[in-house]
Structures are given as structure tokens and as C-alpha cells.
Amino acid sequence: MTESKFAVIGLGRFGMAIAQTLSQRGAQVLAIDNREEKVEEIKDEVAYAVCLDSTDAKALKAQNIKDMDAVVVAIGENFEALLLTTVLLKELEVKRIVVRASGKHQVQILEKLGIEEILSPENRVGIAIAEQLLNPSIVTSLQLPDNYEIVEIKTPKELTNRTLTEIGLRAKYNLNLITLKREFQIKKNGVMDTETHILGVPSSETVLYDSDTIIVFGKSKDIERFIEINQ
Ligand code: ATP
């Protein structure tokens, strides 16, 4: 497989994290910011780090931005710069443009520009926090299209010491158990320590323990029902 090539424009905390993660996973990353100190900060962690103003069409073009598999626009506060950069990327016929937006209005404007991949990190974090406040048993959740969700839930007391067949997640609750996280007591250098591991693909005979965390997939309403019944 050829190495994927990505550009990340705007190296605030958000853009920086995206650029670092892509690079750690083996992608070739071009990191761009108009502040020299940001470029300096990341230069040893990515393939290329360049200081330029992304609203400058010539400067962008000179970076062969068109050849990227995807370009992430992670400029935060300066919406005008974000918009202009996005328009330039469209003009340069970049294959895949992912843009960060804050708030409903920015999302609407970007949608009108024909941007299909819009990231609204504040929104996502907000929804996840609200969900955890409402359901303390939810550790994390990933909202999917069509009202589906993947959630990580502390195993409800009611279900412990029973096999998956006995619990009947699919039959009774319409949910699929993807996997589970289990705590193991391990002796290291004479000291007992707790390590958490994924238990692989569970079988129908797998028994759930009190300290397990289960990762389930299903419709949001079925997940809510499952939590309510077993609270
Ligand atoms: P975060 O919320 O991700 O921490 P932040 O609040 O630092 O980000 P901003 O400073 O608004 O967000 O923008 C993110 C980055 O985008 C900054 O490092 C900024 O220098 C960079 N940036 C802003 N405008 C441009 C531009 N025209 N060209 C290149 N980079 C830009």
C-alpha cells in the first residue's frame, strides 16, 4: 500500500493532535501554520512543516496540495481565513477536504459551499459529556448515522456472573456485544497491579464480571432501554 499523504492547516491543539496522530500511524503529513512557533513545535514529528498563510493561493499551490489524499482545515477562531482557505482548496480540486467548524452557522455556511466532511469537535465533546451526565454508567460513546451508537458501559450489576446466552443481549435487547474490557491482577516486581485488557471476540459462554466494561452496538433507543432496565 502506498503511504497516505495528508495536509493539516492550522496547528492549534486540535490540528496539532490530528497531525501528530496521522504521522504516528505512518502517514506522510504536511503541517501548515502561519505562526512560526507552531511550525517549530511540530517539525520533528511530521514529514514536512511549513510556515505559510493558507489564504495565499500561490503559497498553497507551491506545496502541491492537490496531490494530498485529504486536507484538514483546522483553523479555529479566524472563520474568514478558514472560509477562504476552504474555497482555495476547492479551486485547487483537492480530493477530500475536511473542515473544522464551531457552531451551527459555520456548519450551514460550509455545507452551502459543498463541504461534506465537517468536524464540530465542541459539539461532539458536548454530546458525550451530556450523555455521561445522564447515564453515569456510560464510559464513552460514538454516535453513528441513522441513530446507531457504539457505547462503552460499566456492566450492570444485574447481569454479572451470567453468560452472554443467559443475558440474551441480542434476543432481549436487540444489541450486539462487540467486546469487553476486563481487569486482571498482575504481579510485577513483587507488587500487585491492575491491568485492563480487551477480551477479544466474546463467545456465547463468556461470563460477565462485576468490574467488566462492555462495548455494545445498537440503536440509541435500545441502548437507553437496556441501561434503564438494568440500572
Ligand atoms: P484549538 O482550539 O485547536 O487549540 P486555537 O484556539 O489555538 O485552536 P486558532 O488559534 O484560532 O485556534 O487557530 C488554529 C491555528 O490556525 C493557529 O495555530 C493559527 O496560527 C492557525 N491559523 C490561523 N489562520 C491561519 C492562516 N490564514 N494560515 C495558516 N494558519 C492559520
Side-chain angles (χ1 to χ4, degrees), residues 8-17 32-38 50-56 74-82 85 100 102 121-122:
V8 179
I9 301 174
L11 304 169
R13 281 159 301 177
F14 184 67
M16 195 68 94
I32 295 174
D33 202 289
N34 61 353
R35 284 193 291 167
E36 190 62 52
E37 69 263 27
K38 289 286 166 189
V50 181
C51 184
L52 61 83
D53 180 346
S54 59
T55 62
D56 176 347
I75 296 173
E77 270 163 40
N78 187 346
F79 188 59
E80 198 178 321
L82 179 143
T85 302
R100 167 199 185 170
S102 313
E122 296 86 352

Side-chain angles (χ1 to χ4, degrees), residues 4-32 42 45-47 70-76 96-101 117-121 124:
S4 310
K5 288 195 226 166
F6 298 105
V8 179
I9 301 174
L11 304 169
R13 281 159 301 177
F14 184 67
M16 195 68 94
I18 293 179
Q20 285 165 334
T21 308
L22 288 171
S23 190
Q24 282 159 9
R25 300 277 173 93
Q28 193 186 94
V29 175
L30 164 65
I32 295 174
I42 202 167
E45 295 177 72
V46 294
V71 179
V72 180
V73 187
I75 296 173
R96 189 169 167 197
I97 307 172
V98 182
V99 187
R100 167 199 185 170
E117 293 183 78
I118 302 170
L119 302 173
S120 212
R124 236 182 241 194

Side-chain angles (χ1 to χ4, degrees), residues 65-71 89 92-97 117:
I65 217 96
K66 192 180 178 304
D67 301 334
M68 298 291 158
D69 294 304
V71 179
L89 294 173
L92 288 170
E93 295 176 349
V94 169
K95 286 191 261 300
R96 189 169 167 197
I97 307 172
E117 293 183 78

Side-chain angles (χ1 to χ4, degrees), residues 97-160:
I97 307 172
V98 182
V99 187
R100 167 199 185 170
S102 313
K104 199 167 74 190
H105 292 130
Q106 292 194 359
V107 172
Q108 277 173 346
I109 293 168
L110 288 164
E111 278 172 356
K112 284 263 183 279
L113 272 182
I115 301 298
E116 284 163 12
E117 293 183 78
I118 302 170
L119 302 173
S120 212
E122 296 86 352
N123 238 359
R124 236 182 241 194
V125 172
I127 291 168
I129 290 176
E131 193 134 26
Q132 283 163 29
L133 287 172
L134 289 168
N135 283 310
S137 56
I138 293 187
V139 184
T140 49
S141 64
L142 175 67
Q143 198 74 47
L144 299 168
D146 301 323
N147 296 320
Y148 281 97
E149 229 178 312
I150 294 174
V151 291
E152 193 179 323
I153 316 171
K154 290 178 199 144
T155 301
K157 283 258 175 307
E158 288 286 301
L159 307 185
T160 53

Side-chain angles (χ1 to χ4, degrees), residues 28 86 88 104 170 179 218:
Q28 193 186 94
T86 307
L88 289 175
K104 199 167 74 190
R170 204 177 292 169
T179 190

